[in-house]
Amino acid sequence: MRVSYQWLCELAGVNDVPPDRGAQVLTMAGWNVESVTLLDLSEIRVGGVISLEPHPTSRNPLWVYQVDLGNETRQIIAGVDNAVPGSLVPVALPGTTVPNGAVVRDLKIAGVAGQGMLCAADELLLGDDHSGIMLLDEGEPGQPLDELIPSDAVLDVEVTPNRPDCLSHLGLARELAAALGRSLPGDFMPPFTGGIEPPGTELVKVDIEAPDLCRRYIGAVISGVTVGASPRWLQRRLRLCGVRPISNVVDVTNYVALEYGQPLHAFDLERLEGKRIIVRRARSSERLLCLDGEDRTLTPEMLVIADAERPVALAGIIGGEESAVTDSTTEILLEAANFDGVNVRATSRAIRLRTEASSRFEKGLSPELALAGARRAATLLSQVAGGQVHVGWADEYPRPQEPVRVHFRPEQIDAILGVHVPLEEMEAILQRLGFQVRVQDGDWDVLPPVFRLDVTMRADVAEEVGRIYGYDKVPPTLPGRRRTRWVPAAPSVERRLDSVRHALAGSGLTEVLTQALVDGSLLDRMGLGEGMLQVVNPVSEGQDSLRTSLLPSLLEVAAANRNRGRAAVFVFEIGRVYLRRPAEPEGQPAEPQRLAALRSGLATASGGRSAFLELKGALERTIDSLAPLKLTYERSSSPLFHPGRCARVLLQGRQLGYLGELHPTVLEMVDLEGRAAALEIDLEPVLAADPTRRARPLPRFPAVNRDLAVVVAERVEAASLQATIESAAGELLESARAFDEYRGGQLPPGCKSVAFALTFRTQERTLTDPEVDAVVQRIKTALAERHGATFRE
Amino acid sequence: MLAEILEIRDSGLAAAAQADSDEALEQVRIQYLGRKGRFSTLTPRLPLLPPEERPRVGELINESKRAIEEAVAARSAQLARERLERLGDTEAIDVTFPGTPPALGRLHVLTLVQREIETVMETLGYHVEIGPDVETDWYNFEALNLPVGHASRDMQDTFFMNASEELLLRTHTSPMQIRAMERLKTPPIYAAIPGRTFRRDATDPSHLSQFMQVEALAIDEGITVGDLKGTILYFAQSLWGADRRIRIRPSFFPYTEPSFEFDLSCGVCGGEGCRTCGGDGWLEVGGCGMIHPNVLRNGGIDPERYSGFAWGFGIERIAMLKYDVDDIRLFYENDLRFLEQFA
């Protein structure tokens, strides 16, 4: 909210606190001041125009003014001629910074010297008029302008949604005064003077048909109004707060909203059919031409102000064009009402229109505020629009606001804050904020001011005391006492995943983090759309679905890095994917923790095979970092992967995911050239496995190593050869591992040679060569029988 | 023959002394002591000598061979010594040549920061709680004192899911306050809650619609605002150094009462005010407050007996402050040139 500091200080009775200090005090009391804009008029002087004549030589339309500044005369060049001899104008001399930020300099145009600037209203931030030099109504040449128009500062204050009472200068003035240790002069409820007959209640009849949505409706009749421009001081304050002046009647309603926080509306009483006000729900497909020029179709959820015939305003949001105050209006109905915040918010969202009024009502205002606003506006209207206020206002208030009392003992406040606040100080703080305090035997009973609907319990009072007392006076402490219960320390999932990250980083992969919301259409094209959840209201199409796989994102990372000159990446990500549960499609989805890795930028088929094996090795190292587990692999197929180079990864027979080279069409979808290998597995079963490790005794006898080159047909897989070797060898075989694959040379076509490293050992003695030879012979026989293998020496 | 022996011995000793390499020395050894060496030619002639001379001559041959063996060994040791002495010259490398590190990947900078945060909290006796990203309206809003239709919900613009009207992407980690209370049931509860969060905001250098938060939650008897301040201060000093200060400013969150924003003293100017902190000496870090009694009640905990605090902040924000990163989007662009700067 934009606040005039001068206005604020006037209401707060403060005149000795500069704006920067005031901003700091407000911030530490909970009113974050985001910016302070100084409007210093003390350097601007009143000038009296002596004469003006066109610039003698310039081809541009320029005028040379002689201006009286009291004790001197200055020659000043201007681009307009609306000031005439005798006009009083604001003058900025060279070296002055005018409020809009411009610095005035000596200048010379086509041989004619200028020594200053005649200011337009917008340059002084006194209006938005830039069409001519600002003409002053009063003043003496040479007089500082701020003697006529006070200097000011605009504070941009962040008002939290629990305090709509402070969307007002009066509310913030009370806060400023309280934080400075002072009290606000004057009562919250303004006096009301005047009143002519007949009573307003005889001139207009008000009914609330929807008391659940309208808690109070005050209608004051003011007659004899002359609609015209507001006085300059009023216009200036509105402008400083970012509100455009329209006419005295409208300006007063806006002014009082800024002062008290109560939105108001003025109807032209003569344009209200039947001189009736009915607050009711809109009828289906009723229409209202609103003040912003939009013709809106209403629905029965919306609350309207209607006359005898039709809606004339959308309650708490915007007025109607057909009942609006015009230049010829003489009799007005001033509305000060209270509408339900939830309903105003819903309607405002439905029609996508948020106004000064709706943004106040939606936070929930006190119905007591309506009377204060009506009184203040009535007084002002009689002052600035010549209106006469009728006695006897319509005031429909079916359920008056109940007073809320909060009981506590002061030590309970201390116990929340962690500091002892002296009792006198606690009482003084609450009183400065408008609370009534009753103390009896150490029990306190406080009554918050009527406009404070947010204070209902002890913690609320603690907040009031704390923020004015000053949280800087609360000593920092660490909680700690003798505990009788605790949660034993155990490595968190994140700590356990760190071992995965380290194993992968140690294998040369770099960790990336991609977003959970992704482009659903890409997942669909990659065949990953099953079980996908979508966002109803995405910010962009590229982020409209929750990912069901990490791999598309990794591919995009590879493509993005390729675009920046990095042809190959070797990356991994650990993160969740989101899968609708088939048994409960409307419930929260499963969010399994996945690991994915990608090696991109491989030029050849053999490069692809190496990358596959590298990822496989890294995966095994990674799984081992979590628990001593053994993975198995089966040839498989998946839409993402190369049909001949894809394996299912299994843990104890349960599928964890896939490992393979990516399918060329998938790479094409993200515009990646070359080959890429990738894996994606579920980490949950691995995390759930028993991580316990037990030390094995070291062997006491040496091993015997043999290499065996097995020549078999292409289609025979290493895993089945290994299984045959293990079952044929018996106990003496400690390990068998394929380490090389060879084709061509003297091998028959369609055949390959797989080299195994065999290690034999027993715990009882040193093995002899003949013993080992016998086992190797058994292995060979079995391989020959089962796989048609031959052997290379 | 004696003279001949002495002559061979002397020439052998001289040759050994003069040998200037291991190879030359080996040649000397072979030439004099080998199977076909010069002494071996003498041995067949021994039987030709008179028997009484044989022992003396034999003795002399053996002594001479031993002398040469010793000379060869001595020379060999000397050569080795000399070689060691010259090692600095003979095997010098250019030690300023750039290193060639084995290939190693890196952890993401946000992982590093998250771990650091969790480690500090674990040191204080907090444990890490993890919860779902897709939340229900109840846990994300209603249970946290944010009723349907309430204007405070506008503070957190929300992504809703197509599967059900109840489902949304959590706008903060605070739903885990309720889940932690439900799971652990009885205080004391000291938990740190990291996780992804989502807000329907436009993306710019300081905002993301998908980001990560960490939340600290303490529920116990007698927890005060002072405890909240102290815990945040401990955290800030652990992460940024013992000279840092914090302040809390009153603010508003529906799920805490009183509520605050907390700021960190600027590390560039030390709180004096500079361009980094926008002139006031403080950097905004996160939000905090004393848990609202309604929230405790919704988590099944008696607010008359227990009180608690919660504070949270964006992990990216912490990483930006820690590493001087000026654009939050860099964390998720995964440009390796960026990621490789952190370890």
Side-chain angles (χ1 to χ4, degrees):
Chain A
M1 162 159 171
R2 280 168 59 123
V3 170
S4 155
Y5 189 66
Q6 193 263 335
W7 188 0
L8 195 67
C9 286
E10 184 184 297
L11 293 168
V14 168
N15 58 9
D16 53 351
V17 180
D20 281 336
R21 168 89 187 115
Q24 213 172 12
V25 169
L26 282 171
T27 296
M28 291 316 288
W31 310 100
N32 192 28
V33 178
E34 289 179 335
S35 66
V36 178
T37 311
L38 294 175
L39 306 175
D40 183 1
L41 300 179
S42 64
E43 298 293 307
I44 312 293
R45 308 241 232 122
V46 177
V49 176
I50 298 169
S51 65
L52 77 161
E53 50 195 45
H55 190 286
T57 52
S58 170
R59 266 175 291 172
N60 295 319
L62 291 177
W63 281 266
V64 181
Y65 284 80
Q66 303 300 323
V67 182
D68 173 16
L69 287 169
N71 51 3
E72 58 174 331
T73 302
R74 291 262 180 158
Q75 175 169 295
I76 297 174
I77 301 173
V80 287
D81 62 350
N82 70 312
V84 296
S87 294
L88 293 170
V89 295
V91 179
L93 295 180
T96 310
T97 305
V98 291
N100 78 345
V103 180
V104 179
R105 292 181 207 292
D106 275 312
L107 58 96
K108 194 169 244 187
I109 298 174
V112 178
Q115 302 170 296
M117 183 171 90
L118 306 182
C119 305
D122 70 331
E123 287 159 337
L124 300 177
L125 302 182
L126 292 171
D128 40 23
D129 187 2
H130 190 68
S131 63
I133 298 161
M134 183 175 179
L135 301 178
L136 302 170
D137 303 329
E138 50 175 345
E140 291 295 322
Q143 193 181 10
L145 186 61
D146 71 343
E147 291 180 8
L148 302 172
I149 305 171
S151 292
D152 205 341
V154 175
L155 273 48
D156 197 354
V157 183
E158 205 180 311
V159 176
T160 52
N162 59 326
R163 292 295 304 273
D165 62 296
C166 278
L167 288 169
S168 72
H169 283 70
L170 190 62
L172 288 172
R174 185 178 299 105
E175 295 289 326
L176 177 65
L180 289 168
R182 309 175 194 181
S183 288
L184 212 57
D187 281 342
F188 159 70
M189 190 58 76
F192 174 68
T193 54
I196 58 164
E197 297 289 340
T201 41
E202 291 176 13
L203 302 174
V204 66
K205 187 165 162 20
V206 172
D207 281 304
I208 300 176
E209 286 185 2
D212 53 329
L213 301 183
C214 175
R215 286 195 60 185
R216 187 173 196 176
Y217 197 100
I218 298 172
V221 177
I222 303 166
S223 55
V225 168
T226 309
V227 175
S230 300
R232 186 165 272 169
W233 64 267
L234 201 159
Q235 292 199 22
R236 178 166 192 238
R237 282 187 168 171
L238 291 182
R239 281 207 186 89
L240 288 178
C241 299
V243 177
R244 195 164 55 86
I246 294 169
S247 69
N248 47 10
V249 172
V250 176
D251 291 355
V252 164
T253 61
N254 288 334
Y255 184 86
V256 173
L258 290 171
E259 192 172 53
Y260 276 79
Q262 168 67 40
L264 301 167
H265 185 64
F267 294 102
D268 184 334
L269 186 55
E270 284 168 28
R271 299 170 83 186
L272 289 180
E273 204 65 48
K275 303 277 180 322
R276 283 278 281 153
I277 287 289
I278 303 161
V279 187
R280 59 163 169 84
R281 287 181 164 79
R283 305 196 172 104
S284 275
S285 39
E286 257 183 334
R287 299 177 74 86
L288 176 65
L289 177 61
C290 298
L291 276 171
D292 61 353
E294 290 280 317
D295 189 5
R296 294 190 167 85
T297 304
L298 311 178
T299 63
E301 295 82 48
M302 298 174 180
L303 187 71
V304 295
I305 314 302
D307 60 14
E309 298 282 312
R310 74 228 142 121
V312 290
L314 206 43
I317 301 176
I318 192 165
E321 184 65 49
E322 289 166 13
S323 57
V325 171
T326 66
D327 290 349
S328 56
T329 300
T330 59
E331 207 171 18
I332 60 176
L333 178 73
L334 176 71
E335 167 196 293
N338 186 270
F339 302 114
D340 175 66
V342 172
N343 180 259
V344 168
R345 179 171 176 266
T347 302
S348 157
R349 287 167 83 92
I351 65 171
R352 288 161 204 254
L353 177 68
R354 202 147 177 271
T355 59
E356 281 288 319
S358 75
S359 65
R360 289 182 160 80
F361 279 124
E362 70 181 19
K363 297 180 179 82
L365 292 177
S366 159
E368 295 293 322
L369 204 54
L371 183 61
R375 287 186 174 181
R376 176 71 174 136
T379 307
L380 271 176
L381 282 171
S382 57
Q383 284 169 9
V384 309
Q388 290 191 297
V389 184
H390 289 258
V391 297
W393 298 352
D395 184 357
E396 291 298 307
Y397 193 10
R399 284 176 299 130
Q401 179 177 318
E402 297 280 341
V404 174
R405 294 185 177 280
V406 184
H407 306 274
F408 59 90
R409 281 173 285 108
E411 55 268 27
Q412 291 177 308
I413 303 297
D414 292 351
I416 293 173
L417 297 178
V419 70
H420 174 60
V421 182
L423 297 183
E424 324 71 77
E425 182 139 18
M426 196 181 287
E427 187 173 357
I429 286 169
L430 290 170
Q431 283 168 346
R432 295 207 296 271
L433 290 170
F435 289 64
Q436 291 173 34
V437 182
R438 271 209 317 245
V439 182
Q440 202 169 19
D441 299 338
D443 280 319
W444 289 37
D445 184 18
V446 304
L447 181 70
V450 287
F451 47 84
R452 291 295 303 274
L453 301 181
D454 60 307
V455 179
T456 59
M457 57 175 191
R458 201 158 67 222
D460 297 324
V461 175
E463 171 155 58
E464 297 305 300
V465 172
R467 69 194 178 85
I468 301 297
Y469 181 68
Y471 286 112
D472 53 334
K473 296 189 195 128
V474 176
T477 50
L478 283 181
R481 61 189 181 88
R482 209 158 268 133
R483 295 189 196 174
T484 53
R485 318 169 133 260
W486 51 83
V487 179
S492 65
V493 171
E494 280 300 315
R495 285 298 76 71
R496 296 193 64 206
L497 290 174
D498 276 347
S499 65
V500 172
R501 296 188 176 101
H502 282 137
L504 289 164
S507 305
L509 289 84
T510 289
E511 185 183 24
V512 300
L513 272 177
T514 63
Q515 296 285 35
L517 283 175
V518 298
D519 178 1
S521 71
L522 180 65
L523 294 194
D524 271 331
R525 276 182 287 140
M526 290 187 175
L528 297 164
E530 199 184 319
M532 183 165 75
L533 274 91
Q534 277 165 329
V535 170
V536 178
N537 53 342
V539 272
S540 72
E541 279 182 18
Q543 302 184 344
D544 59 5
S545 304
L546 282 172
R547 62 188 181 190
T548 57
S549 162
L550 304 179
L551 283 178
S553 303
L554 288 193
L555 284 166
E556 284 174 339
V557 166
N561 276 284
R562 190 273 325 276
N563 293 345
R564 299 179 192 120
R566 186 83 66 114
V569 301
F570 196 21
V571 294
F572 75 96
E573 176 167 11
I574 294 171
R576 295 173 184 183
V577 300
Y578 307 83
L579 299 167
R580 226 181 253 240
R581 293 176 203 270
E584 203 192 339
E586 293 187 359
Q588 285 175 273
E591 298 185 14
Q593 194 83 250
R594 291 261 179 98
L595 162 68
L598 173 74
R599 169 146 229 165
S600 73
L602 310 158
T604 62
S606 72
R609 176 179 178 271
S610 310
F612 177 98
L613 295 178
E614 216 172 347
L615 276 178
K616 190 174 181 182
L619 175 63
E620 283 169 359
R621 182 180 288 177
T622 301
I623 299 303
D624 185 64
S625 76
L626 280 175
L629 298 171
K630 225 172 142 34
L631 298 178
T632 53
Y633 305 85
E634 278 174 10
R635 175 172 295 283
S636 180
S637 69
S638 152
L640 278 183
F641 290 96
H642 187 299
R645 298 181 167 202
C646 173
R648 290 206 300 152
V649 182
L650 302 116
L651 176 66
Q652 288 145 3
R654 178 175 168 184
Q655 177 167 332
L656 290 186
Y658 290 98
L659 162 70
E661 250 191 75
L662 289 163
H663 201 288
T665 57
V666 168
L667 295 179
E668 208 171 287
M669 285 179 207
V670 290
D671 195 24
L672 263 185
E673 56 283 315
R675 289 164 172 265
L679 67 86
E680 179 167 27
I681 63 156
D682 274 321
L683 283 174
E684 312 272 328
V686 188
L687 288 167
D690 180 6
T692 313
R693 285 172 203 266
R694 301 258 179 257
R696 279 193 307 272
L698 295 178
R700 300 198 344 250
F701 298 99
V704 177
N705 297 312
R706 294 284 168 88
D707 285 353
L708 186 62
V710 188
V711 178
V712 286
E714 261 310 333
R715 62 182 162 70
V716 182
E717 292 182 337
S720 54
L721 294 177
Q722 171 127 8
T724 303
I725 291 170
E726 282 168 0
S727 70
E731 287 180 352
L732 296 186
L733 181 71
E734 185 179 74
S735 76
R737 180 173 169 78
F739 67 94
D740 190 29
E741 215 185 43
Y742 173 77
R743 291 177 180 77
Q746 283 148 27
L747 291 181
C751 284
K752 63 182 177 183
S753 162
V754 183
F756 279 87
L758 309 176
T759 303
F760 300 91
R761 196 200 303 268
T762 160
Q763 293 293 342
E764 287 132 32
R765 60 200 152 79
T766 303
L767 287 173
T768 62
D769 276 340
E771 272 180 300
V772 173
D773 288 343
V775 180
V776 171
Q777 193 49 53
R778 278 214 307 276
I779 290 172
K780 283 180 162 178
T781 308
L783 287 170
E785 279 174 7
R786 221 163 292 169
H787 307 288
T790 58
F791 303 92
R792 291 202 302 153
E793 290 313 317
Chain B
M1 192 169 171
L2 287 177
E4 196 181 345
I5 292 169
L6 289 175
E7 190 271 325
I8 293 171
R9 185 192 71 180
D10 290 347
S11 83
L13 290 175
Q18 282 159 22
D20 56 1
S21 70
D22 284 345
E23 294 73 30
L25 201 56
E26 179 64 7
Q27 282 308 311
V28 172
R29 198 188 61 77
I30 292 165
Q31 193 183 346
Y32 289 90
L33 307 172
R35 269 200 301 182
K36 294 178 182 168
R38 292 185 61 181
F39 282 110
S40 64
T41 60
L42 297 178
T43 319
R45 287 161 57 192
L46 272 183
L48 306 179
L49 292 177
E52 63 279 12
E53 284 188 23
R54 284 183 209 157
R56 210 157 56 89
V57 173
E59 185 67 10
L60 185 62
I61 289 172
N62 285 340
E63 272 173 23
S64 301
K65 283 167 78 173
R66 261 199 306 280
I68 290 170
E69 266 168 26
E70 280 165 16
V72 166
R75 181 62 185 156
S76 170
Q78 192 186 358
L79 284 173
R81 260 196 318 276
E82 285 170 8
R83 213 168 31 246
L84 279 176
E85 277 161 18
R86 287 199 313 274
L87 206 54
D89 295 326
T90 54
E91 297 191 1
I93 61 166
D94 181 355
V95 295
T96 69
F97 207 81
T100 50
L104 192 66
R106 286 169 190 267
L107 304 197
H108 196 283
V109 57
L110 293 180
T111 298
L112 300 175
V113 172
Q114 184 183 333
R115 176 187 308 162
E116 201 176 341
I117 292 165
E118 288 168 6
T119 304
V120 172
M121 296 315 295
E122 283 172 342
T123 312
L124 271 183
Y126 287 60
H127 73 276
V128 175
E129 287 273 331
I130 305 280
D133 297 347
V134 181
E135 262 298 0
T136 62
D137 189 272
W138 165 258
Y139 284 103
N140 194 75
F141 287 129
E142 197 83 34
L144 296 174
N145 216 21
L146 279 150
V148 175
H150 200 273
S152 298
R153 285 199 177 192
D154 291 345
M155 292 166 84
Q156 301 183 5
D157 222 342
T158 311
F159 287 113
F160 294 96
M161 306 310 301
N162 63 343
S164 151
E165 280 187 1
E166 284 298 300
L167 290 186
L168 46 84
L169 293 174
R170 65 175 171 187
T171 56
H172 47 186
T173 42
S174 304
M176 280 306 294
Q177 291 185 16
I178 303 289
R179 289 187 184 275
M181 291 181 222
E182 286 174 345
R183 193 175 80 77
L184 300 163
K185 292 191 176 67
T186 313
I189 295 172
Y190 290 89
I193 303 155
R196 280 179 192 262
T197 50
F198 304 80
R199 301 253 173 112
R200 205 173 166 279
D201 287 333
T203 297
D204 65 35
S206 46
H207 296 91
L208 289 170
S209 55
Q210 311 179 51
F211 55 100
M212 286 203 278
Q213 280 191 343
V214 176
E215 178 143 341
L217 174 72
I219 304 172
D220 206 337
E221 285 174 0
I223 296 279
T224 68
V225 173
D227 294 334
L228 168 65
K229 268 182 85 174
T231 306
I232 295 175
L233 184 61
Y234 175 93
F235 173 79
Q237 293 182 338
S238 303
L239 229 63
W240 286 287
D243 57 335
R244 289 301 189 91
R245 290 165 294 129
I246 61 124
R247 71 171 186 186
I248 57 175
R249 277 182 289 118
S251 185
F252 169 72
F253 303 105
Y255 28 96
T256 48
E257 186 71 35
S259 304
F260 313 92
E261 304 276 353
F262 65 96
D263 300 339
L264 171 73
S265 64
C266 177
V268 177
C269 62
E272 297 292 309
C274 67
R275 284 178 54 170
T276 304
C277 55
D280 74 347
W282 296 97
L283 302 160
E284 271 187 55
V285 181
C288 59
M290 305 302 290
I291 301 169
H292 196 287
N294 291 352
V295 174
L296 288 173
R297 234 171 259 128
N298 287 335
I301 286 177
D302 177 8
E304 288 301 319
R305 175 163 179 202
Y306 297 104
S307 58
F309 63 68
W311 49 284
F313 49 82
I315 297 181
E316 293 87 354
R317 171 88 182 133
I318 300 293
M320 289 172 87
L321 289 175
K322 194 172 167 59
Y323 294 104
D324 236 353
V325 177
D326 59 4
D327 189 335
I328 196 169
R329 294 171 293 194
L330 283 168
F331 295 118
Y332 295 96
E333 278 171 10
N334 293 301
D335 187 328
L336 292 173
R337 296 170 302 179
F338 175 73
L339 298 181
E340 285 167 0
Q341 295 176 34
F342 307 97

